PDB file of all heavy atoms in Angstrom:
ATOM      1  N   ILE R 714      75.835  38.241-165.604  1.00  0.00           N
ATOM      2  CA  ILE R 714      75.051  37.427-164.634  1.00  0.00           C
ATOM      3  C   ILE R 714      75.993  36.635-163.872  1.00  0.00           C
ATOM      4  O   ILE R 714      76.871  35.930-164.535  1.00  0.00           O
ATOM      5  CB  ILE R 714      73.939  36.684-165.348  1.00  0.00           C
ATOM      6  CG1 ILE R 714      72.831  37.693-165.946  1.00  0.00           C
ATOM      7  CG2 ILE R 714      73.275  35.711-164.326  1.00  0.00           C
ATOM      8  CD1 ILE R 714      71.844  37.048-166.665  1.00  0.00           C
ATOM      9  N   GLY R 715      76.098  36.571-162.630  1.00  0.00           N
ATOM     10  CA  GLY R 715      76.887  35.827-161.763  1.00  0.00           C
ATOM     11  C   GLY R 715      77.987  36.590-161.134  1.00  0.00           C
ATOM     12  O   GLY R 715      78.645  36.139-160.203  1.00  0.00           O
ATOM     13  N   ASN R 716      78.219  37.763-161.664  1.00  0.00           N
ATOM     14  CA  ASN R 716      79.334  38.608-161.117  1.00  0.00           C
ATOM     15  C   ASN R 716      79.040  39.018-159.641  1.00  0.00           C
ATOM     16  O   ASN R 716      77.826  39.495-159.383  1.00  0.00           O
ATOM     17  CB  ASN R 716      79.530  39.914-161.913  1.00  0.00           C
ATOM     18  CG  ASN R 716      80.344  39.572-163.267  1.00  0.00           C
ATOM     19  OD1 ASN R 716      80.318  40.510-164.113  1.00  0.00           O
ATOM     20  ND2 ASN R 716      80.909  38.511-163.462  1.00  0.00           N
ATOM     21  N   SER R 717      79.881  38.985-158.809  1.00  0.00           N
ATOM     22  CA  SER R 717      79.820  39.382-157.431  1.00  0.00           C
ATOM     23  C   SER R 717      80.494  40.757-157.170  1.00  0.00           C
ATOM     24  O   SER R 717      81.613  40.952-157.620  1.00  0.00           O
ATOM     25  CB  SER R 717      80.488  38.333-156.435  1.00  0.00           C
ATOM     26  OG  SER R 717      80.358  38.742-155.097  1.00  0.00           O
ATOM     27  N   CYS R 718      79.712  41.650-156.673  1.00  0.00           N
ATOM     28  CA  CYS R 718      80.097  43.119-156.671  1.00  0.00           C
ATOM     29  C   CYS R 718      80.013  43.785-155.271  1.00  0.00           C
ATOM     30  O   CYS R 718      79.183  43.216-154.450  1.00  0.00           O
ATOM     31  CB  CYS R 718      79.293  43.920-157.649  1.00  0.00           C
ATOM     32  SG  CYS R 718      79.233  43.305-159.337  1.00  0.00           S
ATOM     33  N   LEU R 719      80.799  44.776-155.072  1.00  0.00           N
ATOM     34  CA  LEU R 719      80.699  45.614-153.947  1.00  0.00           C
ATOM     35  C   LEU R 719      80.134  46.933-154.486  1.00  0.00           C
ATOM     36  O   LEU R 719      80.808  47.543-155.352  1.00  0.00           O
ATOM     37  CB  LEU R 719      82.046  45.843-153.212  1.00  0.00           C
ATOM     38  CG  LEU R 719      82.036  46.902-152.305  1.00  0.00           C
ATOM     39  CD1 LEU R 719      81.105  46.656-151.032  1.00  0.00           C
ATOM     40  CD2 LEU R 719      83.520  47.136-151.687  1.00  0.00           C
ATOM     41  N   LEU R 720      78.915  47.320-154.141  1.00  0.00           N
ATOM     42  CA  LEU R 720      78.238  48.487-154.728  1.00  0.00           C
ATOM     43  C   LEU R 720      78.099  49.574-153.764  1.00  0.00           C
ATOM     44  O   LEU R 720      77.656  49.287-152.599  1.00  0.00           O
ATOM     45  CB  LEU R 720      76.848  47.970-155.191  1.00  0.00           C
ATOM     46  CG  LEU R 720      76.816  46.810-156.296  1.00  0.00           C
ATOM     47  CD1 LEU R 720      75.326  46.401-156.569  1.00  0.00           C
ATOM     48  CD2 LEU R 720      77.464  47.146-157.508  1.00  0.00           C
ATOM     49  N   PHE R 721      78.300  50.773-154.164  1.00  0.00           N
ATOM     50  CA  PHE R 721      78.061  51.974-153.482  1.00  0.00           C
ATOM     51  C   PHE R 721      76.978  52.699-154.296  1.00  0.00           C
ATOM     52  O   PHE R 721      77.241  53.028-155.498  1.00  0.00           O
ATOM     53  CB  PHE R 721      79.263  52.871-153.215  1.00  0.00           C
ATOM     54  CG  PHE R 721      80.343  52.283-152.487  1.00  0.00           C
ATOM     55  CD1 PHE R 721      81.412  51.533-153.046  1.00  0.00           C
ATOM     56  CD2 PHE R 721      80.348  52.479-151.109  1.00  0.00           C
ATOM     57  CE1 PHE R 721      82.323  51.034-152.225  1.00  0.00           C
ATOM     58  CE2 PHE R 721      81.423  51.931-150.297  1.00  0.00           C
ATOM     59  CZ  PHE R 721      82.370  51.188-150.920  1.00  0.00           C
ATOM     60  N   LEU R 722      75.799  52.906-153.731  1.00  0.00           N
ATOM     61  CA  LEU R 722      74.634  53.346-154.508  1.00  0.00           C
ATOM     62  C   LEU R 722      73.912  54.617-153.843  1.00  0.00           C
ATOM     63  O   LEU R 722      73.968  54.837-152.680  1.00  0.00           O
ATOM     64  CB  LEU R 722      73.523  52.289-154.529  1.00  0.00           C
ATOM     65  CG  LEU R 722      74.033  50.911-155.048  1.00  0.00           C
ATOM     66  CD1 LEU R 722      72.971  49.835-154.864  1.00  0.00           C
ATOM     67  CD2 LEU R 722      74.480  50.976-156.516  1.00  0.00           C
ATOM     68  N   GLN R 723      73.476  55.358-154.780  1.00  0.00           N
ATOM     69  CA  GLN R 723      72.763  56.560-154.446  1.00  0.00           C
ATOM     70  C   GLN R 723      71.301  56.348-154.870  1.00  0.00           C
ATOM     71  O   GLN R 723      71.022  55.833-155.876  1.00  0.00           O
ATOM     72  CB  GLN R 723      73.267  57.864-154.973  1.00  0.00           C
ATOM     73  CG  GLN R 723      74.557  58.294-154.308  1.00  0.00           C
ATOM     74  CD  GLN R 723      74.969  59.745-154.797  1.00  0.00           C
ATOM     75  OE1 GLN R 723      75.186  59.787-156.018  1.00  0.00           O
ATOM     76  NE2 GLN R 723      75.283  60.663-153.940  1.00  0.00           N
ATOM     77  N   ARG R 724      70.407  57.017-154.000  1.00  0.00           N
ATOM     78  CA  ARG R 724      68.989  56.724-154.337  1.00  0.00           C
ATOM     79  C   ARG R 724      68.392  57.995-154.903  1.00  0.00           C
ATOM     80  O   ARG R 724      68.559  59.220-154.361  1.00  0.00           O
ATOM     81  CB  ARG R 724      68.260  56.313-153.145  1.00  0.00           C
ATOM     82  CG  ARG R 724      66.787  55.785-153.329  1.00  0.00           C
ATOM     83  CD  ARG R 724      66.144  55.447-152.049  1.00  0.00           C
ATOM     84  NE  ARG R 724      66.875  54.630-151.250  1.00  0.00           N
ATOM     85  CZ  ARG R 724      66.855  53.321-151.247  1.00  0.00           C
ATOM     86  NH1 ARG R 724      66.088  52.714-152.212  1.00  0.00           N
ATOM     87  NH2 ARG R 724      67.618  52.594-150.359  1.00  0.00           N
TER      88      ARG R 724
END
Side-chain angles (χ1 to χ4, degrees):
I714 294 174
N716 285 164
S717 182
C718 307
L719 172 61
L720 302 174
F721 296 90
L722 304 172
Q723 284 185 310
R724 197 184 302 275

